[in-house]
Amino acid sequence: MKLRGLYAITDSQLLAGKFLAYVEAALDGGVTLLQYRDKSSDEARRLREAEKLRELCSRYKTQLIINDDAELAARLGVGVHLGQTDGPLTPARALLGSKAIIGSTCHSQIELAEQAAKEGASYVAFGRFFNSNTKPGAPAATVEMLAQARARLHVPICVIGGITLENAEPLVAHGADLLAVVHGLFGADSTQEVTRRARAFNALLKI
């Protein structure tokens, strides 16, 4: 499967009261990867929500990724995204098998991305590129760095951090394969607008 397109990331607070409706609206507009990101410690709810998302993703032929929880990903038979504090990728790859999608956060460091690729990452993620509500303190990445990364890496590149329809184009032009979006997709006032935005993001990637 070619990893290129919109990478939708959930936010429990932003989606409170409309979680599944907005996720399905995004899937309807076309999503390559959907990441379930929930930092709470309510494991029963997280399992329940992740199971519902897996069901939806399967209906729309989208790959589900679990943020920072390889064990939950293994339980559901889906992919995982690991941050720099989650340790090396190798144990996750051993746990999830050779076909699972495993992503790695690399901030703005190409060396981290090269290391992740060696350890078997399916894609590497750089960011934040713009001011981000989700990760306000993350170190900034630049389009120049992105262009260098594209020249040096042979894995799909994901970009994240404050990405909107208005600012995404230069990132695609400099080599981004996956546009990871939270507020720029789900911060909409209707399900119709979520679907419209999803289609528009994919149009930028010629999908």
Side-chain angles (χ1 to χ4, degrees), residues 131-154:
N131 288 331
S132 162
N133 293 330
T134 315
K135 297 198 170 186
T142 63
V143 288
E144 291 74 24
M145 182 278 315
L146 178 58
Q148 287 169 21
R150 180 71 288 161
R152 284 166 59 177
L153 295 163
H154 302 291

mmCIF file of all heavy atoms in Angstrom, residues 131-154:
data_model
loop_
_atom_site.group_PDB
_atom_site.id
_atom_site.type_symbol
_atom_site.label_atom_id
_atom_site.label_comp_id
_atom_site.label_asym_id
_atom_site.label_seq_id
_atom_site.Cartn_x
_atom_site.Cartn_y
_atom_site.Cartn_z
ATOM 1 N N ASN A 131 2.402 26.896 13.936
ATOM 2 C CA ASN A 131 1.924 26.890 15.321
ATOM 3 C C ASN A 131 0.857 25.817 15.471
ATOM 4 O O ASN A 131 -0.053 25.723 14.657
ATOM 5 C CB ASN A 131 1.353 28.259 15.700
ATOM 6 C CG ASN A 131 2.475 29.274 15.847
ATOM 7 O OD1 ASN A 131 3.603 28.915 16.193
ATOM 8 N ND2 ASN A 131 2.185 30.520 15.577
ATOM 9 N N SER A 132 0.999 25.025 16.527
ATOM 10 C CA SER A 132 0.107 23.877 16.678
ATOM 11 C C SER A 132 -0.584 23.904 18.031
ATOM 12 O O SER A 132 0.054 24.110 19.052
ATOM 13 C CB SER A 132 0.942 22.591 16.542
ATOM 14 O OG SER A 132 0.261 21.496 17.070
ATOM 15 N N ASN A 133 -1.911 23.693 18.017
ATOM 16 C CA ASN A 133 -2.663 23.594 19.277
ATOM 17 C C ASN A 133 -2.319 22.306 20.016
ATOM 18 O O ASN A 133 -2.302 22.247 21.232
ATOM 19 C CB ASN A 133 -4.179 23.583 19.002
ATOM 20 C CG ASN A 133 -4.650 24.906 18.445
ATOM 21 O OD1 ASN A 133 -4.086 25.941 18.749
ATOM 22 N ND2 ASN A 133 -5.667 24.864 17.615
ATOM 23 N N THR A 134 -2.068 21.244 19.239
ATOM 24 C CA THR A 134 -1.851 19.935 19.843
ATOM 25 C C THR A 134 -0.454 19.817 20.448
ATOM 26 O O THR A 134 -0.266 19.218 21.487
ATOM 27 C CB THR A 134 -2.036 18.824 18.775
ATOM 28 O OG1 THR A 134 -3.213 19.115 18.037
ATOM 29 C CG2 THR A 134 -2.191 17.462 19.413
ATOM 30 N N LYS A 135 0.540 20.410 19.748
ATOM 31 C CA LYS A 135 1.931 20.313 20.226
ATOM 32 C C LYS A 135 2.574 21.684 20.234
ATOM 33 O O LYS A 135 3.476 21.960 19.440
ATOM 34 C CB LYS A 135 2.727 19.355 19.333
ATOM 35 C CG LYS A 135 2.202 17.940 19.355
ATOM 36 C CD LYS A 135 3.215 16.952 18.848
ATOM 37 C CE LYS A 135 2.750 15.538 19.124
ATOM 38 N NZ LYS A 135 3.726 14.531 18.780
ATOM 39 N N PRO A 136 2.118 22.590 21.117
ATOM 40 C CA PRO A 136 2.608 23.964 21.086
ATOM 41 C C PRO A 136 4.101 24.098 21.365
ATOM 42 O O PRO A 136 4.763 24.998 20.881
ATOM 43 C CB PRO A 136 1.783 24.679 22.165
ATOM 44 C CG PRO A 136 1.241 23.598 23.029
ATOM 45 C CD PRO A 136 1.133 22.370 22.180
ATOM 46 N N GLY A 137 4.674 23.172 22.146
ATOM 47 C CA GLY A 137 6.084 23.312 22.522
ATOM 48 C C GLY A 137 7.052 22.563 21.624
ATOM 49 O O GLY A 137 8.258 22.588 21.841
ATOM 50 N N ALA A 138 6.545 21.887 20.603
ATOM 51 C CA ALA A 138 7.428 21.068 19.761
ATOM 52 C C ALA A 138 8.396 21.954 18.971
ATOM 53 O O ALA A 138 8.037 23.055 18.573
ATOM 54 C CB ALA A 138 6.590 20.234 18.798
ATOM 55 N N PRO A 139 9.636 21.474 18.750
ATOM 56 C CA PRO A 139 10.587 22.281 17.982
ATOM 57 C C PRO A 139 10.115 22.460 16.538
ATOM 58 O O PRO A 139 9.480 21.570 15.977
ATOM 59 C CB PRO A 139 11.881 21.453 18.041
ATOM 60 C CG PRO A 139 11.470 20.081 18.432
ATOM 61 C CD PRO A 139 10.194 20.199 19.195
ATOM 62 N N ALA A 140 10.434 23.611 15.978
ATOM 63 C CA ALA A 140 9.943 23.918 14.632
ATOM 64 C C ALA A 140 10.761 23.199 13.559
ATOM 65 O O ALA A 140 11.950 22.981 13.704
ATOM 66 C CB ALA A 140 9.982 25.419 14.406
ATOM 67 N N ALA A 141 10.076 22.828 12.477
ATOM 68 C CA ALA A 141 10.724 22.248 11.299
ATOM 69 C C ALA A 141 10.525 23.221 10.136
ATOM 70 O O ALA A 141 9.607 24.034 10.164
ATOM 71 C CB ALA A 141 10.097 20.891 10.989
ATOM 72 N N THR A 142 11.378 23.118 9.123
ATOM 73 C CA THR A 142 11.293 24.063 7.988
ATOM 74 C C THR A 142 11.122 23.316 6.672
ATOM 75 O O THR A 142 11.448 22.117 6.589
ATOM 76 C CB THR A 142 12.587 24.894 7.888
ATOM 77 O OG1 THR A 142 13.679 23.978 7.606
ATOM 78 C CG2 THR A 142 12.881 25.651 9.175
ATOM 79 N N VAL A 143 10.673 24.028 5.660
ATOM 80 C CA VAL A 143 10.540 23.386 4.336
ATOM 81 C C VAL A 143 11.906 23.034 3.768
ATOM 82 O O VAL A 143 12.048 22.067 3.018
ATOM 83 C CB VAL A 143 9.734 24.246 3.326
ATOM 84 C CG1 VAL A 143 8.279 24.283 3.666
ATOM 85 C CG2 VAL A 143 10.307 25.623 3.175
ATOM 86 N N GLU A 144 12.949 23.808 4.130
ATOM 87 C CA GLU A 144 14.307 23.496 3.654
ATOM 88 C C GLU A 144 14.757 22.139 4.201
ATOM 89 O O GLU A 144 15.314 21.302 3.476
ATOM 90 C CB GLU A 144 15.305 24.580 4.098
ATOM 91 C CG GLU A 144 15.125 25.934 3.428
ATOM 92 C CD GLU A 144 13.907 26.721 3.942
ATOM 93 O OE1 GLU A 144 13.454 26.477 5.085
ATOM 94 O OE2 GLU A 144 13.408 27.576 3.191
ATOM 95 N N MET A 145 14.490 21.927 5.494
ATOM 96 C CA MET A 145 14.819 20.639 6.113
ATOM 97 C C MET A 145 14.032 19.509 5.439
ATOM 98 O O MET A 145 14.571 18.427 5.177
ATOM 99 C CB MET A 145 14.467 20.711 7.611
ATOM 100 C CG MET A 145 14.784 19.480 8.445
ATOM 101 S SD MET A 145 13.619 18.133 8.404
ATOM 102 C CE MET A 145 12.069 18.908 8.578
ATOM 103 N N LEU A 146 12.782 19.791 5.120
ATOM 104 C CA LEU A 146 11.926 18.792 4.472
ATOM 105 C C LEU A 146 12.503 18.396 3.111
ATOM 106 O O LEU A 146 12.566 17.208 2.770
ATOM 107 C CB LEU A 146 10.510 19.366 4.315
ATOM 108 C CG LEU A 146 9.465 18.493 3.627
ATOM 109 C CD1 LEU A 146 9.288 17.168 4.351
ATOM 110 C CD2 LEU A 146 8.134 19.232 3.551
ATOM 111 N N ALA A 147 12.965 19.382 2.351
ATOM 112 C CA ALA A 147 13.549 19.103 1.033
ATOM 113 C C ALA A 147 14.812 18.240 1.174
ATOM 114 O O ALA A 147 15.037 17.305 0.395
ATOM 115 C CB ALA A 147 13.878 20.408 0.313
ATOM 116 N N GLN A 148 15.631 18.548 2.197
ATOM 117 C CA GLN A 148 16.844 17.737 2.445
ATOM 118 C C GLN A 148 16.458 16.311 2.825
ATOM 119 O O GLN A 148 17.069 15.341 2.363
ATOM 120 C CB GLN A 148 17.663 18.347 3.583
ATOM 121 C CG GLN A 148 18.393 19.623 3.215
ATOM 122 C CD GLN A 148 18.973 20.307 4.456
ATOM 123 O OE1 GLN A 148 19.160 19.678 5.497
ATOM 124 N NE2 GLN A 148 19.245 21.584 4.337
ATOM 125 N N ALA A 149 15.433 16.193 3.676
ATOM 126 C CA ALA A 149 14.976 14.862 4.109
ATOM 127 C C ALA A 149 14.501 14.049 2.904
ATOM 128 O O ALA A 149 14.805 12.861 2.780
ATOM 129 C CB ALA A 149 13.862 14.998 5.136
ATOM 130 N N ARG A 150 13.784 14.710 2.008
ATOM 131 C CA ARG A 150 13.265 14.009 0.828
ATOM 132 C C ARG A 150 14.405 13.459 -0.029
ATOM 133 O O ARG A 150 14.319 12.356 -0.574
ATOM 134 C CB ARG A 150 12.416 14.997 0.003
ATOM 135 C CG ARG A 150 11.790 14.473 -1.270
ATOM 136 C CD ARG A 150 10.642 13.501 -1.043
ATOM 137 N NE ARG A 150 11.065 12.196 -0.545
ATOM 138 C CZ ARG A 150 10.273 11.325 0.062
ATOM 139 N NH1 ARG A 150 9.010 11.597 0.282
ATOM 140 N NH2 ARG A 150 10.719 10.173 0.469
ATOM 141 N N ALA A 151 15.496 14.223 -0.105
ATOM 142 C CA ALA A 151 16.640 13.790 -0.915
ATOM 143 C C ALA A 151 17.375 12.614 -0.263
ATOM 144 O O ALA A 151 17.985 11.795 -0.954
ATOM 145 C CB ALA A 151 17.594 14.962 -1.120
ATOM 146 N N ARG A 152 17.311 12.521 1.058
ATOM 147 C CA ARG A 152 18.105 11.503 1.768
ATOM 148 C C ARG A 152 17.325 10.252 2.166
ATOM 149 O O ARG A 152 17.918 9.208 2.432
ATOM 150 C CB ARG A 152 18.718 12.121 3.035
ATOM 151 C CG ARG A 152 19.913 13.003 2.713
ATOM 152 C CD ARG A 152 20.328 13.885 3.879
ATOM 153 N NE ARG A 152 20.702 13.149 5.093
ATOM 154 C CZ ARG A 152 21.151 13.750 6.192
ATOM 155 N NH1 ARG A 152 21.282 15.082 6.211
ATOM 156 N NH2 ARG A 152 21.464 13.049 7.265
ATOM 157 N N LEU A 153 16.004 10.354 2.232
ATOM 158 C CA LEU A 153 15.210 9.229 2.750
ATOM 159 C C LEU A 153 14.443 8.509 1.657
ATOM 160 O O LEU A 153 14.009 9.126 0.688
ATOM 161 C CB LEU A 153 14.218 9.745 3.802
ATOM 162 C CG LEU A 153 14.826 10.332 5.075
ATOM 163 C CD1 LEU A 153 13.791 11.170 5.810
ATOM 164 C CD2 LEU A 153 15.344 9.225 5.988
ATOM 165 N N HIS A 154 14.264 7.220 1.865
ATOM 166 C CA HIS A 154 13.513 6.416 0.884
ATOM 167 C C HIS A 154 12.233 5.853 1.485
ATOM 168 O O HIS A 154 11.679 4.885 0.981
ATOM 169 C CB HIS A 154 14.403 5.298 0.340
ATOM 170 C CG HIS A 154 15.654 5.825 -0.293
ATOM 171 N ND1 HIS A 154 15.651 6.530 -1.472
ATOM 172 C CD2 HIS A 154 16.937 5.796 0.141
ATOM 173 C CE1 HIS A 154 16.882 6.905 -1.765
ATOM 174 N NE2 HIS A 154 17.691 6.483 -0.807
#
